[in-house]
Amino acid sequence: RLFSRAAKVRVRSTVGAGDSFVAAFVLALSRGQSNAEALALGSAAASAAVMTDATQLCRLEDVMRLLPEC
């Protein structure tokens, strides 16, 4: 069983957070990262996604900055 916390961020919109999580999780697995690393990257991507307005995508720099919190 694995658990990852979402980073503490100011939420602007939850649209796309799940899609961002899945995309980052699958990307990490496809790169040979562990399940735990994939989970953390997915959580960071979802956290970054909720920081943006409506249907905007998460930004890589936000994902990488939030990754240590996840």
Side-chain angles (χ1 to χ4, degrees):
R1 187 178 316 186
L2 298 172
F3 177 80
S4 178
R5 294 188 189 277
K8 292 187 180 197
V9 298
R10 184 178 184 146
V11 176
R12 296 181 93 172
S13 173
T14 59
V15 173
D19 293 335
S20 296
F21 174 88
V22 171
F25 185 85
V26 171
L27 176 65
L29 291 179
S30 73
R31 291 180 171 172
Q33 293 179 266
S34 70
N35 289 344
E37 291 169 322
L39 179 61
L41 188 63
S43 294
S47 296
V50 301
M51 295 170 50
T52 63
D53 289 325
T55 59
Q56 290 183 358
L57 299 174
C58 61
R59 293 179 292 269
L60 178 60
E61 59 269 15
D62 291 333
V63 174
M64 299 315 291
R65 180 176 52 81
L66 297 172
L67 185 57
E69 293 183 46
C70 299

